[in-house]
Amino acid sequence: MKIFEMLIPMTWEGLKVTMSVFAITLIVSLPLAIFVALLKGSKNKYIYKFTSAYIYVMRGTPLLLQLMFIFFGFHYIPVIGYAFTRYQAIYIAFILNYTAYFTEIIRGGINTIDIGQFEATKVLGMSKSFAFTRIILPQVMKNIIPSLGNEIITLVKDTSLVYILGVTDILKAAKSVSNTYSTFTPYIFVAFVYLGIIAIMTNILSSIESKFDYYR
């Protein structure tokens, strides 16, 4: 069918964008979230207030609005006066947004660790960095995988928001074909593509969770 001759190549190109936004956001925001979570636990009130304000703003405003503000808004701020490209705006907005959400999940995971374990690492003479990365962090990751998995799945779906900046992802590909042929079929096709991606992510997360059973 002619519709699929147009739909499949466009969906493939859109899928590259979708997975690119997903992968870069995840790879960058997770390490940043660990760093910000540690900063928020700082006893310095200025650091604590700054990280708290950042998280509040990122979680308190829609990702769609953040995309528009970074792409359109920065150009009109006299002090900055710089216009980001579409992809720069997308990556910055997604990374900042998901770093905030991941930070709260990781911070919650850190708070579940018994204080005695932190004290034990001090008694054993471990450095803070070694104790955190080798003792505390693996347990934190085990505890937060379900919550983290939910956010990762949400990230896959949130990538559809890039359409607002004129970038073609798989959803916009479906919309373009649907408008051309006046049919709803492309949306059904793309729905199955999303379901396939989510199924793969779910299996990967389940596999990762099983590897952390050692810390149960």
Side-chain angles (χ1 to χ4, degrees), residues 113-126:
I113 306 300
D114 192 290
I115 190 67
Q117 294 199 40
F118 292 93
E119 294 172 350
T121 59
K122 291 181 181 179
V123 172
L124 293 171
M126 297 181 184

Side-chain angles (χ1 to χ4, degrees), residues 38-112:
L38 293 174
L39 286 181
K40 193 172 182 184
S42 172
K43 295 180 180 179
N44 185 305
K45 67 177 182 178
Y46 297 107
I47 294 176
Y48 174 80
K49 287 181 178 179
F50 176 79
T51 53
S52 296
Y54 156 69
I55 292 170
Y56 176 76
V57 171
M58 290 295 106
R59 296 177 70 202
T61 55
L63 177 55
L64 183 62
L65 181 61
Q66 293 165 19
L67 281 165
M68 295 178 67
F69 178 78
I70 292 174
F71 183 63
F72 297 108
F74 272 61
H75 181 70
Y76 296 100
I77 299 177
V79 178
I80 301 174
Y82 176 78
F84 290 107
T85 66
R86 284 178 171 80
Y87 283 99
Q88 285 175 337
I90 288 168
Y91 292 134
I92 291 171
F94 270 82
I95 290 169
L96 289 177
N97 182 276
Y98 273 87
T99 294
Y101 279 95
F102 289 152
T103 294
E104 287 300 276
I105 293 172
I106 292 169
R107 193 174 66 87
I110 293 173
N111 291 339
T112 63

Side-chain angles (χ1 to χ4, degrees), residues 3-4 6-18 168-174 177 186 189-190 193:
I3 184 173
F4 287 103
M6 180 180 180
L7 178 60
I8 292 175
M10 289 188 68
T11 301
W12 175 248
E13 292 302 315
L15 183 61
K16 292 179 183 178
V17 173
T18 295
T168 300
D169 68 319
I170 55 179
L171 188 60
K172 188 175 180 182
V177 178
F189 178 80
V190 165
V193 173

Side-chain angles (χ1 to χ4, degrees), residues 145-166:
I145 283 176
S147 299
L148 205 61
N150 288 335
E151 284 302 317
I152 290 172
I153 288 172
T154 300
L155 172 58
V156 174
K157 295 180 287 186
D158 275 352
T159 56
S160 62
L161 294 176
V162 301
Y163 83 91
I164 196 67
L165 300 186

Side-chain angles (χ1 to χ4, degrees), residues 132-210:
F132 181 76
T133 56
R134 301 298 297 273
I135 307 298
I136 305 301
L137 188 58
Q139 297 179 73
V140 170
M141 296 306 294
K142 172 65 178 71
N143 293 336
I144 67 174
I145 283 176
S147 299
L148 205 61
N150 288 335
E151 284 302 317
I152 290 172
I153 288 172
T154 300
L155 172 58
V156 174
K157 295 180 287 186
D158 275 352
T159 56
S160 62
L161 294 176
V162 301
Y163 83 91
I164 196 67
L165 300 186
V167 175
T168 300
D169 68 319
I170 55 179
L171 188 60
K172 188 175 180 182
K175 183 178 180 181
S176 298
V177 178
S178 179
N179 290 341
T180 301
Y181 289 94
S182 300
T183 176
F184 195 74
T185 302
Y187 291 108
I188 298 174
F189 178 80
V190 165
F192 280 104
V193 173
Y194 274 113
L195 288 171
I197 296 172
I198 298 302
I200 293 170
M201 291 296 116
T202 301
N203 288 331
I204 292 173
L205 290 167
S206 296
S207 176
I208 294 172
E209 187 171 6
S210 66

Side-chain angles (χ1 to χ4, degrees), residues 17-33:
V17 173
T18 295
M19 297 313 296
S20 172
V21 174
F22 169 79
I24 291 175
T25 301
L26 192 62
I27 291 169
V28 177
S29 62
L30 268 178
L32 276 178

